[in-house]
Amino acid sequence: MKHNYLANGTELGVVAAGFSHGQPKPGVAIGPSSLIASGLLTQIEHDLHYTLFFDEVVHVYHSLLPFEDPPHNNMHRSLAVSAVNKRISEQVYKQAHEGRFVLTLGGDHSISIGSLAGTAEAIRDRLPGKELAVLWVDAHGDINTPDTTISGNIHGMALAFSTGLYRSREADRFGWLREEQLINKEKLVYIALRDLDKAEEVILEEQGIKRFYMTDVKEHGIEKIVDLALNHIGADSPIHLQYDIDALDTSEAPSTGTSVPGGLTLEQGTYISKRVHDTGNLIAMDLVEVNPEVEPEGAAKTVAAASSLVRSALGQAVR
């Protein structure tokens, strides 16, 4: 098929980000290792015929972690999350600037600050005048600011930084984010929302950000919701698919840190991935929040579901 915004649609860069400091639960850092050990990259290479560009390292970024990282401005571990995301932005940019598809495996969802920064900047460099669109498939909004957060966990603030709704003046706490690394909130669409803080509801309403709740999916069907989401994005934008495994129902993906019942079936989840792939506009994907240490008996099922979401986004037929 034609890839509208990739220089070579068969080249795939992989960034494995074993990072967990955007939230407090242990185990999410081994999400990338679990996905790779399950054979995901081998399947992508051999079955889907991509040429992989991967340094064979699951990055844990120990050298970037400060000795002390006390709470600051209602944020936990902000020095670590900022430093690691700056590095992730560089890793993703390097791959995306070559015109490759970029697959980033997390790790917690705070890593999207870096991955979106990398793809947004690369698209603006490679394709002047184009704006990156983001399809955010998640049970949660992840758009609290440091002023509205209840938990202080930065994986719940990622989009506040990525959209520029919150701008830091501190270089070592996200002040490194430049305008060309931010995303346009008019090109942001959510699917599968069902657990928002009240402050997030206010932010989404005030900012006019397009969003579809699980109640919408149940009322209208996933096919209609994806149609509406893609129509909002438009056919003229490269797309970065952000997939939190907790978008799926607990029965489909139990091993994740903030599971919420009433989510997508795996069939609905892979349908989203494949539909976005079929636009020819997909240029990057993050798959995050697989945590094998939560509900360990469900870890293999969760990893298998996550792998299916990725393979569908890369063109595997949905059965």
Side-chain angles (χ1 to χ4, degrees):
M1 66 169 289
K2 182 181 179 182
H3 296 273
N4 298 321
Y5 300 114
L6 297 173
N8 188 330
T10 64
E11 292 187 352
L12 186 140
V14 178
V15 176
F19 183 69
S20 65
H21 286 54
Q23 54 82 62
K25 294 184 179 180
V28 73
I30 64 173
S33 299
S34 299
L35 289 162
I36 293 167
S38 76
L40 174 60
L41 298 185
T42 301
Q43 294 159 10
I44 291 170
E45 186 173 27
H46 293 167
D47 300 343
L48 300 178
H49 310 296
Y50 284 85
T51 301
L52 300 189
F53 292 81
F54 178 43
D55 59 9
E56 305 293 335
V57 176
V58 176
H59 296 271
V60 293
Y61 307 103
H62 281 319
S63 66
L64 299 178
L65 303 181
F67 181 71
E68 294 184 344
D69 197 357
H72 176 83
N73 192 22
N74 297 324
M75 295 182 289
H76 297 309
R77 300 169 293 277
S78 56
L79 291 174
V81 179
S82 177
V84 168
N85 271 287
K86 187 173 189 293
R87 178 66 56 83
I88 291 170
S89 74
E90 296 163 353
Q91 292 174 290
V92 171
Y93 177 87
K94 181 178 179 181
Q95 299 277 14
H97 193 259
E98 295 295 324
R100 298 172 187 143
F101 188 102
V102 185
L103 174 64
T104 303
L105 301 174
D108 74 67
H109 217 165
S110 71
I111 69 166
S112 65
I113 300 169
S115 66
L116 288 176
T119 51
E121 183 177 11
I123 286 298
R124 291 186 171 109
D125 285 353
R126 288 182 53 237
L127 304 168
K130 287 294 179 185
E131 288 280 354
L132 182 71
V134 177
L135 185 59
W136 192 278
V137 188
D138 197 332
H140 306 94
D142 294 352
I143 200 165
N144 272 302
T145 71
D147 298 321
T148 67
T149 180
I150 298 170
S151 70
N153 297 323
I154 298 175
H155 74 163
M157 308 180 212
L159 277 169
F161 289 105
S162 292
T163 60
L165 288 174
Y166 185 87
R167 300 298 297 269
S168 171
R169 296 181 180 179
E170 298 176 85
D172 56 357
R173 289 185 171 94
F174 306 102
W176 53 267
L177 279 165
R178 305 185 307 278
E179 194 71 28
E180 59 268 27
Q181 295 176 307
L182 303 180
I183 65 169
N184 182 350
K185 59 181 179 290
E186 294 180 3
K187 291 280 189 178
L188 168 64
V189 183
Y190 288 94
I191 294 179
L193 288 174
R194 58 192 185 278
D195 187 17
L196 292 177
D197 294 340
K198 289 183 178 179
E200 290 181 301
E201 293 176 352
V202 172
I203 290 169
L204 293 174
E205 185 64 27
E206 289 182 345
Q207 297 297 322
I209 294 172
K210 193 70 171 176
R211 57 206 184 273
F212 297 100
Y213 297 83
M214 277 306 303
T215 51
D216 299 315
V217 173
K218 291 171 183 176
E219 180 177 355
H220 300 290
I222 193 62
E223 295 86 355
K224 178 65 172 178
I225 295 304
V226 175
D227 285 343
L228 293 171
L230 293 176
N231 286 342
H232 180 82
I233 287 171
D236 61 345
S237 297
I239 300 171
H240 189 141
L241 177 59
Q242 285 281 343
Y243 226 124
D244 188 320
I245 193 65
D246 73 22
L248 299 186
D249 187 70
T250 306
S251 63
E252 302 277 15
S255 295
T256 185
T258 51
S259 181
V260 183
L264 298 167
T265 66
L266 181 57
E267 182 179 1
Q268 290 170 328
T270 55
Y271 177 83
I272 295 169
S273 292
K274 187 61 165 58
R275 278 290 305 278
V276 179
H277 168 270
D278 289 348
T279 66
N281 295 341
L282 186 62
I283 58 117
M285 179 181 187
D286 291 13
L287 193 290
V288 300
E289 298 284 0
V290 171
N291 188 335
E293 293 185 9
V294 174
E295 301 290 340
E297 66 277 6
K301 184 175 187 178
T302 305
V303 167
S307 296
S308 293
L309 297 175
V310 172
R311 293 195 306 270
S312 299
L314 295 174
Q316 179 174 288
V318 176
R319 295 180 176 86

